[in-house]
Amino acid sequence: MKTSLRWLRQYFDFSWSVDELAEALTLAGLEVEGIERPGKVPDEVVVGEILERQDHPNANRLSLCRVEVGAEEPLQIVCGAANCQAGCRVPVALSGAELAGGLRVRKAKLRGVESAGMMCSAAELGLGQEHDGLLQLPKNAVPGRPAADYLQADTVIDWEVTPNRPDWLSHLGIAREIAALAGRPDKLRLPKPEIRPAPGTDVRRMAAVEVADPELCPRYTARVLTSVKIGPSPDWLQQALTAVGVRPINNVVDVTNYVMMECGQPLHAFDYDKLRGGRIIVRRAKAGEQLVTLDGQKHQLHPDRLVIADTERAVALAGVMGGAESEIVETTTTVLLESAAFNPANIRATVRALGIGSESSYRFERGVGLETVEFASRRATALIQELAGAEVAEGCLDVYPRPWQPDMVPCRIGRLNQLLGTDLEVEQVAEYCRCLGLTVAEQSPEVISVNIPSFRLDLQREADLIEEVARLYGLDNIPAAAPVAIVGGGMAEDAYVELQHVRDLLLSLGLTETMTYSTIGVADALRTVGGEESQLIKLANPISAESACMRPSLLPGLLRTVSHNIAHNNHDLAIFEMGRVVARHSEFGEERYQVGIAMTGSAQPERYGEERRREYDFFDLKGVLEEWFERRGRPCPDCLPSEHPALLPGRTAEMIVDQRKLAIFGQVRDELVRGMRLNHPLFLAVLELEPEFALERCQPKAQPLAQFPSTSRDISMIVPDKVRHRDIVKVIEACRCPWLEEVRLFDLYRDGQALGPDRRSLAYSLVYRHSGRTLTDDEANTAHEQIKSTLAAELPVEFR
C-alpha cells in the first residue's frame, strides 16, 4: 500500500520526519517495504511542448517528435513512449543533463536519426516508479521554463499491510493510525462531502437496485449523476494518483480511484445509458454466462461467481473488475456510481478461479467496513459534481437488509496487566481506546467495554484489545521480566515422548514414514471411510475441492501416497503415517491420533529367486501389528473378523484388547485401487492411539536360559469354521499347565468331501519343559491328555 506524505498531511499534521514516521509505524505493527524519495530535478530539464509526432522511419516502436523548448528552433527528439502525443507538455532533458541513476543525456543517433534530447518519465527524473510513459506537465506550463517549477516532489512510503488490517489500505486509515500514535485523534481531519442535488430529481425514478444474494452482498448503494462532462482530471488529482502508482484516465474514473485510495472503499462507475432497463441486479452468474472485462479478457462464468447485471446480461464482475460494455468513455453523460460491500471469501474464490485481480479485489478480499460504503459514495459524488460539472439526482439507492450494529468487547484491566507485565489504570486504557477511534461504552476500575467501529474488522475479543493497548503503550516500554514457569513432570508424562516412542517402534519394524496434508476432498473421504457427509469437518474457504474437509482417517492419504509411488515405478512399499484425524460425532468435532500402515509388493526385495518373489500378504501385516503390540508391552490382542468400507469382506480383521477396538486391517477393495496399476495386492491398517495409550503396560520378565531338554506332543483335530484359532489357544492356556512352554499351529487342511462342509483340520505342536529337571514321558503324556480332555469339553472338536 503506497501512501503520499503530502496526501497524508491533508488529514493530520505531523512533525515527524519521513524516517521517524516509518520507525514509529513499524514499531506499531505497520512495516515499511520501501521509501521513494524524490530527487532534485536538474536545471537542464525544461518544459517541452510536442508540436508534431511522426513514425520513426527505421523502427516500429519509436516516434520522431518536434518539441518546442523555448529555443530558436524546435528540437528533434526520438521517443519510445506511447503517450508522446502532439499538444502534450512534458519534461525534456537537454544535452548535458544528468538524470537519476547517473544517466547523462547527449545528442546521439537512434536508428539512424539524430535525437537532440530526451523526454522523461517520472522514474527517469527520480520522482517515482512509473516508467511506462512520459510524465505529463500541466497545460499551462511554459515551454523552456525549468520543469522543476511545475513538479511538486512528493515522498511515497510503501507499507506492508497484514491481512487482518484492511483499514490500513487507505490514506485515512494510515492517518488515523498516525493520529492515534501521536495521541491526538481530535486533530484528525476527515472529509465532509457536501452534495447539491438537482431540484425536482429523484434517483428512484431513474434506477432501481435488487440484491438477489444478501450473503454475498450485504450492502449495495447507487447514485445517478447526469450532465457529466468527461475530461482530464485536474493536476492535483493526477499528481496524487501518479504518486501512489495509479494511472490517471479521466475525471470520473480518477475520482473513484482517488476515493478508494483515500478511504479504502472501492467504487465503480457505469455508463448509465448502457445499462438496459435502468436496473442493477446483484446476482450469481448464470451457467455458461460470459463477460468481457475492462482488460479485454473474456471470462466463462460459473454460478459461484457474483456479478452485477442489468435486466439482460452481466455488466461487471462484482468486487473485481467492470465490464467493457458499460465502461466510462468520452461520450458518457450519465453515470451510475456503485459503492458496495461483498463477501471476502467469494471475491477470493473468484480471483483465484479466473486468474484476475485488481486494486478493488485486493481490498474486498480482506473486507471493507459496511458503514464506509455510503460515506465513500457521498465523497465520490461530491468530487464528480465538482470536477465534471455533474448534476446529482436526489437520494441514494441503498440496499442494506441487515444494518451494521457495533460489537461491544470487554477487557479486564487485571488480565491486560498480567499479559503485558504493566500496571496501567483503567483511565489510561480508556484513553488508548479513544485514540484508536473506539467508543468507551462501559467503564469500571476492573473492566472496560468498548464499541468497535465498522472499519476495525480485526477487533473481536479481549486479546485483540490488549494487543492494541500494547501497540500504543509501546512494545519497547513494556518492562523486561523473566517468564513465569511451572515445573513440569517427568519425561514419561510428556505426550510427545509417547508419540516419538510409537514412531521409533514403527521405524524399527522396517516401515518408512510418510506425511500427507491434513485436508482431503469430500469424495475421497466418503469413498474410503464411508458414513454421512454431515460427519465431515468442512473448511469454510478451501483452497481447492481436493482440500475441502479435514481428513477423518489416514487411509485416503496413504492411498494417495501409494498411488504416487506406483506411478513412479516403486512397487515394493512398507510405509506408515502418524497424525491427527478429525470427525464429527456430535455438535463438535473430535480430534484423535491415528497410525496408518500400507504394505504391497515384495516382502524381501533385497533377496533373490523364490525369496524375492514372495509378496506381502494379510499375515505379514498382522505380524507387524502383533509385534508392535508386543514391543509396546501391551496384552496380546484378540483378532476378530470385521468390516470396513475400504477393505475387502472376508479379508478384514480387527484387534481388540479389553473390549477396546485398537486396530483394523485387511486387503483394499478393488474399486479403490482401480487405475493405480498395482502389480501386487495392497494391505492397509489403521491403529487408534488414544485407546492404546490408555492400556496398562505389561512389564517384561527376564527368565534364565533353559538347562533341560524339552519334549513336544502333537494334537490334530477337526473343528467347525466358527471355532477360531484364538479360541483353541485360549482353552489350552486356561489349563495352566506349568510345563507348557509353546503352542504352535503347524498345519491347516480343508476337504469338503472328507471333512464335511464348513469344517477344517488343524494340527498343533505343544512344547513341554520343566525348569528344574528332565520331564518323563509319563508326565508329558499325562499333561497332554489333560489338555485334550479340556479341549473336548470346552469346544466342538474331533480328534484325529
Side-chain angles (χ1 to χ4, degrees):
M1 168 64 194
K2 291 185 177 182
T3 58
S4 154
L5 251 62
R6 185 184 301 119
W7 199 340
L8 285 174
R9 285 195 169 96
Q10 295 178 21
Y11 313 117
F12 184 77
D13 291 322
F14 51 89
S15 57
W16 290 322
S17 67
V18 176
D19 292 329
E20 290 171 339
L21 177 65
E23 182 180 4
L25 289 179
T26 297
L27 292 176
L30 183 54
E31 189 174 349
V32 175
E33 276 195 346
I35 300 177
E36 299 175 12
R37 304 176 189 269
K40 183 181 181 303
V41 180
D43 294 337
E44 293 83 1
V45 178
V46 299
V47 176
E49 180 184 2
I50 302 176
L51 302 177
E52 182 183 4
R53 172 186 177 180
Q54 297 178 351
D55 292 336
H56 193 288
N58 302 321
N60 294 332
R61 296 186 180 182
L62 297 179
S63 301
L64 193 59
C65 300
R66 289 179 62 248
V67 184
E68 172 62 48
V69 293
E72 294 182 0
E73 294 291 335
L75 300 182
Q76 176 176 275
I77 298 177
V78 176
C79 180
N83 63 340
C84 55
Q85 305 296 335
C88 292
R89 284 172 168 79
V90 297
V92 176
L94 302 177
S95 180
E98 185 173 347
L99 304 181
L103 175 64
R104 184 173 294 277
V105 178
R106 58 183 178 82
K107 290 183 180 181
K109 282 189 177 183
L110 298 178
R111 291 292 186 95
V113 177
E114 186 173 282
S115 179
M118 176 180 174
M119 294 184 286
C120 303
S121 66
E124 289 159 343
L125 295 177
L127 300 178
Q129 299 294 323
E130 186 65 40
H131 57 77
D132 291 336
L134 300 178
L135 181 62
Q136 301 293 319
L137 298 177
K139 294 296 184 182
N140 60 357
V142 179
R145 290 280 303 275
D149 294 349
Y150 302 93
L151 294 173
Q152 299 180 352
D154 191 8
T155 300
V156 175
I157 303 179
D158 194 359
W159 308 96
E160 184 177 353
V161 178
T162 54
N164 67 318
R165 290 301 303 269
D167 58 304
W168 281 344
L169 293 172
S170 65
H171 281 75
L172 275 178
I174 304 294
R176 191 182 289 114
E177 188 73 15
I178 296 172
L181 292 175
R184 298 303 304 270
D186 54 313
K187 297 298 183 180
L188 185 66
R189 297 184 296 272
L190 299 179
K192 297 178 180 179
E194 294 183 2
I195 300 174
R196 301 179 302 280
T201 60
D202 187 351
V203 68
R204 291 167 182 80
R205 292 201 298 264
M206 304 180 66
V209 173
E210 175 189 343
V211 176
D213 196 334
E215 291 297 325
L216 300 184
C217 178
R219 189 174 190 183
Y220 191 98
T221 68
R223 282 187 164 89
V224 176
L225 301 92
T226 60
S227 303
V228 177
K229 301 177 183 62
I230 302 297
S233 299
D235 295 337
W236 67 267
L237 179 53
Q238 292 194 39
Q239 291 171 4
L241 293 177
T242 301
V244 295
V246 179
R247 180 173 61 89
I249 298 175
N250 59 53
N251 48 5
V252 172
V253 176
D254 290 352
V255 164
T256 62
N257 287 330
Y258 179 85
V259 173
M260 176 181 67
M261 303 303 293
E262 179 182 58
C263 63
Q265 170 64 48
L267 304 104
H268 185 69
F270 295 96
D271 189 324
Y272 173 84
D273 294 326
K274 297 176 182 177
L275 298 176
R276 299 169 188 173
R279 188 178 185 85
I280 288 291
I281 304 173
V282 186
R283 59 168 172 82
R284 292 178 182 268
K286 300 175 182 178
E289 192 167 17
Q290 295 182 344
L291 175 67
V292 178
T293 48
L294 289 172
D295 58 359
Q297 299 297 315
K298 179 184 286 188
H299 301 280
Q300 190 84 17
L301 303 180
H302 187 273
D304 287 342
R305 310 284 84 84
L306 189 69
V307 298
I308 311 300
D310 57 20
T311 57
E312 298 182 14
R313 85 281 196 214
V315 294
L317 201 54
V320 180
M321 190 174 292
E325 294 185 5
S326 60
E327 69 175 316
I328 302 297
V329 295
E330 293 181 359
T331 57
T332 299
T333 58
T334 305
V335 171
L336 186 142
L337 182 66
E338 167 196 284
S339 181
F342 301 107
N343 181 282
N346 182 265
I347 300 300
R348 275 196 298 273
T350 299
V351 169
R352 190 178 301 115
L354 299 182
I356 182 176
S358 63
E359 288 284 350
S360 295
S361 65
Y362 185 77
R363 286 161 174 79
F364 280 127
E365 286 181 62
R366 287 151 179 79
V368 297
L370 293 179
E371 294 299 293
T372 310
V373 171
E374 198 276 335
F375 167 79
S377 177
R378 283 189 289 117
R379 173 68 164 154
T381 300
L383 286 172
I384 294 175
Q385 187 174 36
E386 174 187 347
L387 302 180
E391 294 184 357
V392 182
E394 178 77 37
C396 174
L397 300 173
D398 191 353
V399 180
Y400 198 7
R402 290 190 292 271
W404 171 81
Q405 296 294 330
D407 292 330
M408 188 168 70
V409 178
C411 179
R412 296 164 293 172
I413 305 303
R415 178 60 174 164
L416 181 147
N417 286 322
Q418 179 187 20
L419 286 177
L420 300 184
T422 56
D423 192 21
L424 298 176
E425 300 291 338
V426 65
E427 279 300 334
Q428 294 174 273
V429 176
E431 185 57 30
Y432 286 138
C433 291
R434 294 188 188 98
C435 287
L436 292 165
L438 313 181
T439 304
V440 178
E442 298 176 3
Q443 181 177 330
S444 70
E446 293 80 22
V447 180
I448 183 173
S449 298
V450 297
N451 289 330
I452 308 300
S454 68
F455 58 82
R456 287 305 302 270
L457 305 179
D458 59 309
L459 301 183
Q460 301 175 357
R461 54 182 181 166
E462 181 183 56
D464 298 330
L465 292 180
I466 293 175
E467 181 183 2
E468 292 300 293
V469 171
R471 290 196 312 111
L472 292 195
Y473 179 76
L475 299 178
D476 288 346
N477 297 327
I478 295 176
V484 178
I486 299 175
V487 178
M491 288 290 288
E493 299 176 21
D494 190 332
Y496 176 78
V497 172
E498 190 78 7
L499 293 173
Q500 187 60 39
H501 184 246
V502 170
R503 177 180 287 107
D504 292 341
L505 280 181
L506 292 168
L507 292 171
S508 70
L509 290 171
L511 304 179
T512 302
E513 185 174 13
T514 65
M515 187 175 296
T516 61
Y517 291 115
S518 58
T519 55
I520 60 174
V522 172
D524 288 343
L526 297 178
R527 195 162 58 103
T528 53
V529 182
E532 300 294 332
E533 188 172 338
S534 59
Q535 294 177 307
L536 302 177
I537 304 295
K538 295 184 180 180
L539 274 64
N541 185 31
I543 60 174
S544 68
E546 288 73 25
S547 302
C549 67
M550 302 299 294
R551 60 185 179 190
S553 169
L554 294 179
L555 291 184
L558 280 173
L559 285 172
R560 193 177 303 144
T561 302
V562 171
S563 176
H564 177 80
N565 278 270
I566 296 298
H568 289 76
N569 204 32
N570 183 16
H571 293 270
D572 302 324
L573 298 171
I575 60 176
F576 78 93
E577 180 175 3
M578 184 171 67
R580 291 186 177 95
V581 298
V582 184
R584 191 190 306 278
H585 295 288
S586 61
E587 181 183 356
F588 305 102
E590 178 193 20
E591 187 175 12
R592 62 190 193 278
Y593 269 103
Q594 276 187 356
V595 169
I597 301 175
M599 300 176 72
T600 184
S602 173
Q604 297 175 316
E606 72 282 358
R607 299 298 183 98
Y608 299 92
E610 288 297 325
E611 292 181 343
R612 181 181 178 85
R613 284 190 285 273
R614 193 182 79 80
E615 300 177 339
Y616 282 120
D617 58 21
F618 178 90
F619 297 100
D620 286 306
L621 183 53
K622 179 174 180 286
V624 167
L625 295 175
E626 289 176 337
E627 180 72 13
W628 184 79
F629 279 111
E630 182 179 344
R631 294 193 187 184
R632 289 278 295 165
R634 306 307 190 196
C636 183
D638 290 334
C639 190
L640 305 175
S642 185
E643 293 182 355
H644 190 278
L647 305 176
L648 284 173
R651 300 185 186 180
T652 303
E654 61 186 13
M655 289 187 167
I656 297 177
V657 176
D658 296 339
Q659 299 183 346
R660 298 175 182 175
K661 182 177 176 180
L662 301 183
I664 188 165
F665 64 101
Q667 185 174 344
V668 178
R669 289 178 180 267
D670 294 339
E671 54 266 31
L672 293 182
V673 296
R674 190 172 292 122
M676 276 193 194
R677 299 182 181 178
L678 281 170
N679 294 337
H680 313 279
L682 173 62
F683 299 91
L684 295 180
V686 174
L687 280 161
E688 298 289 347
L689 290 185
E690 267 82 0
E692 195 274 341
F693 289 161
L695 296 176
E696 285 191 23
R697 185 182 294 273
C698 300
Q699 296 297 328
K701 296 180 179 179
Q703 294 181 344
L705 294 174
Q707 299 180 5
F708 297 93
S710 64
T711 183
S712 64
R713 301 289 186 272
D714 295 341
I715 301 179
S716 180
M717 66 191 86
I718 299 172
V719 299
D721 284 344
K722 65 180 182 180
V723 177
R724 298 174 297 128
H725 162 73
R726 184 62 184 163
D727 297 332
I728 296 173
V729 173
K730 278 190 172 182
V731 171
I732 295 175
E733 290 177 345
C735 294
R736 298 187 178 279
C737 176
W739 307 326
L740 183 63
E741 184 177 82
E742 182 183 0
V743 180
R744 184 173 70 252
L745 174 68
F746 68 87
D747 185 57
L748 185 153
Y749 173 70
R750 289 181 183 274
D751 189 331
Q753 293 182 349
L755 302 178
D758 301 325
R759 285 155 60 88
R760 66 192 190 280
S761 173
L762 300 177
Y764 290 87
S765 176
L766 279 62
V767 178
Y768 300 92
R769 190 197 305 269
H770 195 290
S771 60
R773 57 182 175 83
T774 302
L775 285 175
T776 65
D777 285 341
D778 291 341
E779 290 173 328
N781 292 335
T782 301
H784 193 66
E785 290 300 323
Q786 289 177 348
I787 290 175
K788 291 177 65 175
S789 300
T790 304
L791 284 171
E794 297 287 338
L795 299 174
V797 301
E798 178 184 334
F799 296 110
R800 303 181 65 183

